[in-house]
């Protein structure tokens, strides 16, 4: 499986949201806000309890691991594709801007995680937030 950059997944989520917004939404799909960054933006389409648990795992991992990676850029998928539990798979990516300190990166990612988790995008299938110091997103992954 090809590793994609945080920017590619962020772009994917924004493009998907833009298409849905431009099309006037689809049955059962709408966005929380208009599409002018920074967000957060979510696609309101009811996710399963398993997906929500996997999303929480991904968002926690992004917030905890990204600040420890040189360059502050990290992506992850849970559960791992091909595993016995590989249904309702979530991919997420996060980064902090170059030159930001670790504590600023951590604080920004915690805010992004809270926005995309239970505060704004609870039980949504897609979400993206771009803050001044960081960005974070999540998308579903089709079972292979």
């Amino acid at each position: 499986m090809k590793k994609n950059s945080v920017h590619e997944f962020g772009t994917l989520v924004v493009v998907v949201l833009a298409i849905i917004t431009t099309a006037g939404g689809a049955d059962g799909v709408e966005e929380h806000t208009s599409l002018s960054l920074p967000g957060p933006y979510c696609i309101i389409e009811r996710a399963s309890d398993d997906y929500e648990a996997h999303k929480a795992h991904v968002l926690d991992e992004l917030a905890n691991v990204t600040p420890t990676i040189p360059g502050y850029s990290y992506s992850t998928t849970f559960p791992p594709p091909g595993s016995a539990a590989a249904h309702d798979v979530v991919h997420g990516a996060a980064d902090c801007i170059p030159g930001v300190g670790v504590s600023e990166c951590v604080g920004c990612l915690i805010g992004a995680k809270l926005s995309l988790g239970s505060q704004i995008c609870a039980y949504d299938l897609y979400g993206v937030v771009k803050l001044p110091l960081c960005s974070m997103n999540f998308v579903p992954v089709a079972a292979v």
Side-chain angles (χ1 to χ4, degrees), residues 6-26:
V6 172
H7 302 293
E8 288 172 322
F9 278 99
T11 301
L12 171 67
V13 172
V14 170
V15 168
V16 168
L17 288 169
I19 290 168
I20 289 171
T21 301
T22 303

Side-chain angles (χ1 to χ4, degrees), residues 26-43:
D27 290 339
V29 180
E30 55 188 83
E31 78 281 353
H32 282 289
T33 61
S34 66
L35 203 58
S36 59
L37 290 177
Y41 302 99
C42 316
I43 293 181

Side-chain angles (χ1 to χ4, degrees), residues 9-140:
F9 278 99
T11 301
L12 171 67
V13 172
V14 170
V15 168
V16 168
L17 288 169
I19 290 168
I20 289 171
T21 301
T22 303
D27 290 339
V29 180
E30 55 188 83
E31 78 281 353
H32 282 289
T33 61
S34 66
L35 203 58
S36 59
L37 290 177
Y41 302 99
C42 316
I43 293 181
I44 303 172
E45 187 172 335
R46 179 80 174 151
S48 70
D49 288 340
D50 286 341
Y51 184 88
E52 190 66 12
H54 297 164
K55 180 176 77 178
H57 176 92
V58 165
L59 296 178
D60 283 343
E61 187 174 333
L62 291 172
N64 292 325
V65 176
T66 304
T68 70
I69 303 294
Y72 303 139
S73 183
Y74 181 70
S75 65
T76 187
T77 301
F78 186 82
S83 70
H87 66 285
D88 293 320
V89 179
V90 180
H91 178 84
D95 68 354
C96 291
I97 64 169
V100 70
V102 173
S103 61
E104 290 86 1
C105 181
V106 168
C108 187
L109 291 170
I110 289 170
K113 177 184 97 167
L114 291 173
S115 292
L116 291 177
S118 61
Q119 288 184 355
I120 306 295
C121 297
Y123 285 93
D124 292 341
L125 290 177
Y126 301 83
V128 62
V129 63
K130 183 164 178 57
L131 301 172
L133 300 179
C134 70
S135 64
M136 185 180 287
N137 65 69
F138 65 91
V139 296

